[in-house]
Amino acid sequence: MSESYPLPVDKLLTFGDCRHFIGWPNYLELGLGSQHIPDLIRMATDDELNWADSDSLEVWAPIHAWRALGQLRAEVAIEPLMRLFHELEESDWAREELPEVYGMIGPAAIPALGAYLADPSHDLFPRATAASSLEEIGKRHPAARDECVAALTRQLERFTENDPELNAFLIVNLLGLHARESAPVMERAFAADRVEEFIVGDWEDVQVALGLEKPDEDLMPREFFPPQPDIRASQVARPPKPDRQAKAKAKAKRKQAEKSRKKNRRRK
């Protein structure tokens, strides 16, 4: 398999188990540059690698590849990597790290992410990953923050059409960007009973989070515990990262248990 990738991209095939790294390595130190972006895209989206044996080193190569694409600010990777939102929907690594990759790539990704988010043909969690990517861009690039808020708010305005879980994720993302300007839309969504409060809390919680209301001192503060992602056998040695999608995923997972088990047999 390594023969299909040129130097130095082929180094990622044996670069190592991502569970054993603290933070992301500087992949550019391997000699990777803009001329390697096409091969890195091919590696990140390589089905044979993404579903390789869970005990192999090659199964980690796509993760190394998409991290390198983020470090290279590879705008040409914006569209190709989006297919991983749905193709790797069950992967904690993709769900957690792709928003970081898009945050590194930057504002050029906003239109494509907004289009993906707005497309109802995509399932809940892939759309939520697109929304998290917009939040990450807004955090990393303050000049693009308003554009990201606008894209998220436009989707929330469709609260009657959206799943309540998606509306909740959108509100979480907007809270992450301190989007007080979106409060009226949030309020309408709550008033219409179109927000899954298990994910984000109720309207009062959201107002407190935005600084629009003071917390009730007579009540215990609401505590949001770090959600526990769906951990694969190949990931057990690495503590899971916080994942806001996991709360709703636990609810949906009961209906998709058999499907998940089949996928887990392919990549643990």
Side-chain angles (χ1 to χ4, degrees), residues 97-116:
E97 293 202 1
L98 287 174
E100 296 185 55
V101 172
Y102 280 102
M104 298 171 77
I105 292 174
I110 295 174
L113 290 168
Y116 189 102

Side-chain angles (χ1 to χ4, degrees), residues 16-143:
D17 185 328
C18 291
R19 295 171 298 178
H20 300 157
F21 290 86
I22 299 175
W24 292 14
N26 182 356
Y27 294 94
L28 307 191
E29 291 181 349
L30 297 175
L32 294 170
S34 59
Q35 69 272 28
H36 303 116
I37 288 175
D39 286 308
L40 289 169
I41 293 173
R42 184 161 60 92
M43 179 176 282
T45 58
D46 188 325
D47 288 339
E48 186 177 355
L49 291 175
N50 274 309
W51 299 107
D53 189 285
S54 61
D55 293 325
S56 70
L57 289 180
E58 290 179 341
V59 75
W60 301 101
I63 297 175
H64 293 304
W66 71 49
R67 290 175 174 183
L69 289 166
Q71 291 178 355
L72 287 166
R73 314 291 196 266
E75 294 183 4
V76 70
I78 291 170
E79 293 282 356
L81 291 182
M82 281 187 193
R83 60 179 267 199
L84 300 180
F85 289 174
H86 47 272
E87 290 183 2
L88 299 182
E89 178 181 353
E90 294 295 319
S91 167
D92 299 323
W93 293 88
R95 194 171 58 243
E96 296 163 13
E97 293 202 1
L98 287 174
E100 296 185 55
V101 172
Y102 280 102
M104 298 171 77
I105 292 174
I110 295 174
L113 290 168
Y116 189 102
L117 174 60
D119 186 347
S121 70
H122 298 305
D123 289 339
L124 169 62
F125 297 110
R127 294 173 82 186
T129 301
S132 294
S133 300
L134 288 166
E135 178 189 349
E136 192 66 26
I137 292 172
K139 287 179 175 178
R140 289 175 179 254
H141 304 272

